[in-house]
Amino acid sequence: MHISSKPTIYIIDALNFIRSYLQVPYGQEEEVIANMIDYLQNLADTSLFGSTFRVIIDGSFRPVGITKTKNVDALFSEEYIADKIIAEQATFLKMANERVCVITSDRELRE
């Protein structure tokens, strides 16, 4: 994974990331996502100053703590497919000449 030193909008496929990279078992996702949101806000305040994070979570609302901070916005896909939301946001941001990075292990989204 490449982390830019320039202000970037990071779009994170949350459940994909925590299950594929962190290997979090089912049933523990909410706590891990809450910790991830806190960690990302800390990153945005320090080493990735100026960057923002969009944490896209498959499915309906679940208690993951604070879902909106200064630089982190956690969104639930609800009745939509998270991959489609991520692809649409990434495409729109690139067309708007924004620096965007999608974090996922999903092959279709990486291409």
Side-chain angles (χ1 to χ4, degrees), residues 48-65:
L48 296 178
F49 186 76
S51 290
T52 59
F53 299 89
R54 295 182 182 183
V55 180
I56 310 300
I57 306 163
D58 271 309
S60 59
F61 176 80
R62 293 183 293 290
V64 295

Side-chain angles (χ1 to χ4, degrees), residues 12-31:
I12 302 170
D13 188 350
L15 291 180
N16 174 282
F17 178 79
I18 66 172
R19 289 181 181 149
S20 297
Y21 293 110
L22 302 179
Q23 299 180 346
V24 172
Y26 288 93
Q28 297 178 12
E29 297 95 342
E30 288 84 6
E31 181 181 348

Side-chain angles (χ1 to χ4, degrees), residues 87-100:
E88 287 176 355
Q89 286 192 11
T91 300
F92 175 79
L93 290 166
K94 280 195 164 284
M95 289 174 60
N97 294 319
E98 296 285 349
R99 284 182 65 84
V100 63

Side-chain angles (χ1 to χ4, degrees), residues 28-47:
Q28 297 178 12
E29 297 95 342
E30 288 84 6
E31 181 181 348
V32 173
I33 290 171
N35 291 335
M36 181 169 62
I37 292 168
D38 289 341
Y39 176 77
L40 293 173
Q41 183 57 56
N42 185 47
L43 275 179
D45 287 341
T46 57
S47 59

